[in-house]
Amino acid sequence: MRCLLTLFGLSLSQRRFYIFMASSKLPWPHLWAMLWSLIPNPTTKGRLLLALDDYINPKTGKNIFGCAPFFDHAAKINQSKYPWSQNVVSIGLLKMVKGCWACLPLAFCFYHMKKTIVAQKVRIDGKIPLFQTKFEQAIEMLPEISAAFPGTPLLIVTDSWFGNDGLFKPMRKTVGQHCHMLSRLRVNTILFALPPEHQKHQLG
């Protein structure tokens, strides 16, 4: 709104602005791709560094899209572990801006719990959406970003929840072999050491 007022001299109310932005008729996929192409020097050492994570956005109103009692694993003792909130799966570009690391938002999806969809408590354009896991939502967004930067290797930086085969194998299958992942291992991940040299000769 500030940019519209400062750059173009348009004066409009906050309500009118958000009604316009929520319009289903806006070609958001094309607009996003156009905005991505305007990012100067988006790569770092020849790769796109993409941060992938989900977060909750607490709300107080009742009739707010995407709201449900989502679990907050970072809740403090005096906070509710299931706040009324939106759960958003987000992908951002990690880039040095003026000497500091910044995360520029590129794409996002509202996550809806399966029980909320089954209870028909959420509708998109008047229709009940199909349930998607957070992995499936991420894999749906990544090809669009990759297509906007053809031939550029992707490095997905994420936490241990996303850092497993639930994301990696479908991502490689959908996006391609130029997509890599940087993540912490889960505490229950099993690692196997290579056998000693004498065992290798015996096996051979």
Side-chain angles (χ1 to χ4, degrees), residues 128-201:
I128 299 172
L130 296 175
F131 173 72
Q132 284 185 309
T133 66
K134 294 177 183 178
F135 294 128
E136 290 171 337
Q137 289 183 322
I139 293 164
E140 189 176 86
M141 291 186 286
L142 284 171
E144 296 177 359
I145 298 173
S146 178
F149 302 94
T152 305
L154 308 182
L155 178 61
I156 313 302
V157 183
T158 187
D159 61 10
S160 59
W161 193 92
F162 281 100
N164 56 72
D165 267 350
L167 176 67
F168 185 74
K169 283 185 177 179
M171 178 181 70
R172 276 290 182 90
K173 183 178 180 181
T174 305
V175 183
Q177 296 298 310
H178 65 290
C179 195
H180 305 273
M181 181 187 294
L182 175 63
S183 174
R184 293 184 65 181
L185 290 174
R186 288 189 176 187
V187 294
N188 60 353
T189 300
I190 300 175
L191 300 178
F192 297 91
L194 294 173
E197 285 295 325
H198 69 277
Q199 289 189 14
K200 287 183 181 180
H201 294 304

Side-chain angles (χ1 to χ4, degrees), residues 103-144:
C103 184
L104 308 177
L106 298 182
F108 70 94
C109 282
F110 286 102
Y111 173 73
H112 306 285
M113 291 183 287
K114 190 172 184 178
K115 63 181 182 181
T116 305
I117 293 176
V118 171
Q120 301 185 7
K121 293 182 178 180
V122 59
R123 293 179 182 273
I124 299 176
D125 295 333
K127 300 178 181 179
I128 299 172
L130 296 175
F131 173 72
Q132 284 185 309
T133 66
K134 294 177 183 178
F135 294 128
E136 290 171 337
Q137 289 183 322
I139 293 164
E140 189 176 86
M141 291 186 286
L142 284 171
E144 296 177 359

